[in-house]
Amino acid sequence: GWPRRCRPFAEGFCVELQGRSHLSSGLVLRWFQGHLQRCLGAVRYRLQERCRISLSACPGRPPTLHILPCSDYVCCHISMAVRLIPAIPLGDAVYLTALPPEGPQAAPAPEALWGLNASRQEQRLLSWLKEQAPASSCHLKCLQILKGLRDLRGQGLEEPFCSQWRRVLSSYVLKTALFSLLLQGPLEAWDARFLVERLEDLVLYLRDCLRKQVLMHFFLGNASLPEAVALPRFLKEAAPVNLLAAFDGPMLDLAAFQLINTWIQAPHIIRMYSSPRYLRPALAP
C-alpha cells in the first residue's frame, strides 16, 4: 500500500484493471506535462535575457526541455536538451518511469505499464567490464556503431516500418544484446583489434534473438550476473521479462532481415545516408 501522505495523490491517478487498482503511468505523464508547461511559463520571463527555453513533446518520446543560451551572455553558444521523465523511486537507485505513447496511430501503452530504470546497476556493470576487459576493449564502440547504422538505415525506410524498426531496435534492446553477449565469451576477445569480428557477432546475436523472438531483460531475474554487480533483492527475485514480447513474429522477422541487410550493405549505407542531401533537418525547439 501507499504511505498515508501519498494516498490522496495516488488515488487520483489509479485505474482499475482485473479488479485491482493500479497507478496509471499515462495519467501521471499527462499531469506531469501539464505542470511542466505551467512551470515553464513561470521561469521563461526571468531567464529571457540569459537563454531561450522551450518544451517539445514528440510522439513516443518523453517531453524534452531545450535551453539555448543567448550569444551575448555566454562566450560559448552551446545549447542543451534535457529529457524530463516522471519517476517513482523503488529504493537502491531503481526507479519506475512513466512510458510515453508509442505514436499518434498506436494504441496507448497499458495504463499500469511502467518502465524500469536501473542506471546505477548499469554503471556498476560497466565499471566491472572496464576492470575485466582489455584496456582497448571495443564493446562500447560496437554499440555506438550499431546505433549509428540503425539510425542511418532508418533514413531510407518508409512508414509504418520505420517507426517499428526504431522500436524493435531501441537503444535499450541494443544495449541489452551487447551486455548479454559480453557475458557469454572471454572478454579478451573484445580487444580493439577484433572490432569488426565482434561487431559482426553482435549483429548475428541480435538477429538470432529477433528470429527466436526472445531477448530477456538483463537485470530482472538474471541469475548469471557477476557478483560485483550488486542487485536489490526484488530485482533478483523478479520474474524474467522478454523485451520482444510486445512485437509479433512477422515484424521481428522483417527486422531481422533488415538488420542483416544493413550489416551487409553497411559501407554503402554510410556513404549514402551520411551525405547532406539525405540528412533530415533537426526539429526546431
Side-chain angles (χ1 to χ4, degrees):
W2 292 93
R4 180 169 299 177
R5 67 179 183 277
C6 298
R7 287 176 186 172
F9 172 84
E11 290 173 357
F13 295 90
C14 288
V15 293
E16 293 290 333
L17 294 175
Q18 300 180 350
R20 298 183 61 184
S21 180
H22 297 271
L23 186 66
S24 167
S25 64
L27 292 177
V28 169
L29 187 59
R30 287 192 288 273
W31 167 84
F32 182 71
Q33 290 176 335
H35 272 273
L36 284 178
Q37 292 289 357
R38 288 189 287 273
C39 292
L40 184 62
V43 302
R44 181 184 283 136
Y45 177 76
R46 295 183 179 182
L47 300 176
Q48 63 181 353
E49 295 183 358
R50 300 183 179 183
C51 58
R52 294 193 295 271
I53 301 177
S54 61
L55 189 68
S56 66
C58 299
R61 297 182 181 181
T64 303
L65 183 68
H66 300 273
I67 304 173
L68 184 63
C70 296
S71 57
D72 57 350
Y73 182 77
V74 293
C75 59
C76 298
H77 196 65
I78 301 175
S79 61
M80 182 184 303
V82 183
R83 292 187 301 166
L84 303 173
I85 306 174
I88 298 175
L90 299 180
D92 293 308
V94 179
Y95 299 87
L96 291 179
T97 57
L99 298 176
E102 297 296 346
Q105 304 298 328
E111 288 290 342
L113 187 60
W114 290 72
L116 179 69
N117 182 290
S119 299
R120 179 170 296 182
Q121 283 68 33
E122 290 183 8
Q123 290 301 319
R124 290 172 181 168
L125 176 64
L126 290 172
S127 297
W128 179 82
L129 289 170
K130 186 177 181 180
E131 295 176 356
Q132 302 297 321
S136 59
S137 178
C138 63
H139 61 280
L140 295 180
K141 180 63 69 175
C142 286
L143 181 61
Q144 182 182 15
I145 294 174
L146 188 54
K147 285 182 179 180
L149 287 174
R150 174 204 60 191
D151 294 340
L152 289 177
R153 175 74 277 182
Q155 298 281 351
L157 299 177
E158 301 292 335
E159 294 291 357
F161 180 62
C162 180
S163 297
Q164 293 295 324
W165 165 260
R166 296 179 185 277
R167 286 185 60 210
V168 172
L169 298 182
S170 68
S171 295
Y172 195 79
V173 165
L174 299 184
K175 183 166 54 176
T176 300
L178 174 66
F179 288 163
S180 302
L181 185 62
L182 279 166
L183 296 188
Q184 290 186 9
L187 293 177
E188 291 77 11
W190 289 85
D191 187 88
R193 296 172 297 164
F194 311 117
L195 171 65
V196 176
E197 291 87 344
R198 297 294 77 78
L199 183 56
E200 183 174 24
D201 287 345
L202 180 57
V203 170
L204 295 178
Y205 177 80
L206 188 55
R207 178 206 60 182
D208 293 342
C209 291
L210 295 173
R211 288 180 173 177
K212 297 175 183 177
Q213 304 176 28
V214 175
L215 178 62
M216 304 308 295
H217 194 285
F218 192 75
F219 292 106
L220 289 174
N222 188 353
S224 61
L225 285 175
E227 294 184 0
V229 184
L231 286 184
R233 182 176 178 179
F234 64 88
L235 286 185
K236 292 180 179 180
E237 299 178 352
V241 173
N242 180 11
L243 298 180
L244 302 179
F247 306 99
D248 58 37
M251 175 57 65
L252 294 178
D253 288 339
L254 182 57
F257 169 79
Q258 193 63 250
L259 176 63
I260 292 299
N261 188 50
T262 300
W263 173 245
I264 294 174
Q265 300 184 21
H268 171 72
I269 291 173
I270 292 173
R271 287 194 303 269
M272 182 175 183
Y273 292 110
S274 294
S275 63
R277 62 175 295 191
Y278 282 99
L279 291 179
R280 294 174 179 171
L283 294 176

